[in-house]
Amino acid sequence: MGIGMRELIIILLVVLLVFGAKKLRTIGSDLGAAVRGFKKSVSEGEAEDSADEVKQIKSADKDAEFPEVAKRGTDSKIDRGA
């Protein structure tokens, strides 16, 4: 049991009487602007996601090894065992 055409017309007439034609026009334009802004931000977010994927550089080489870091790494393993 959904809303039929008769019920929909009655609801729209009540809303028109409560808010008035001028107020409904501004509500409609504000709602339209909000939907356009939402769609724009979603499309910009998708564009950023695809741009981030392109910017990532994958390297097949091994990372550089620094003696200080390697030494600290082995010292911390010794300290944990003691």
Side-chain angles (χ1 to χ4, degrees):
M1 309 213 182
I3 297 177
M5 186 58 108
R6 185 178 298 169
E7 291 88 5
L8 188 61
I9 290 173
I10 292 172
I11 291 171
L12 290 175
L13 286 175
V14 170
V15 169
L16 182 63
L17 289 173
V18 170
F19 290 110
K22 193 180 282 188
K23 185 70 172 180
L24 282 179
R25 200 173 307 129
T26 59
I27 290 172
S29 65
D30 290 344
L31 186 61
V35 169
R36 281 190 300 273
F38 178 75
K39 286 182 178 180
K40 181 180 175 185
S41 64
V42 167
S43 65
E44 286 176 356
E46 290 174 354
E48 278 184 15
D49 290 342
S50 63
D52 289 342
E53 292 173 8
V54 173
K55 290 180 183 178
Q56 292 178 351
I57 299 173
K58 296 181 180 178
S59 176
D61 297 334
K62 291 175 63 176
D63 290 337
E65 293 183 17
F66 296 99
E68 298 85 20
V69 176
K71 186 176 181 183
R72 271 190 267 152
T74 57
D75 289 344
S76 63
K77 290 178 184 174
I78 294 170
D79 292 339
R80 283 188 227 156

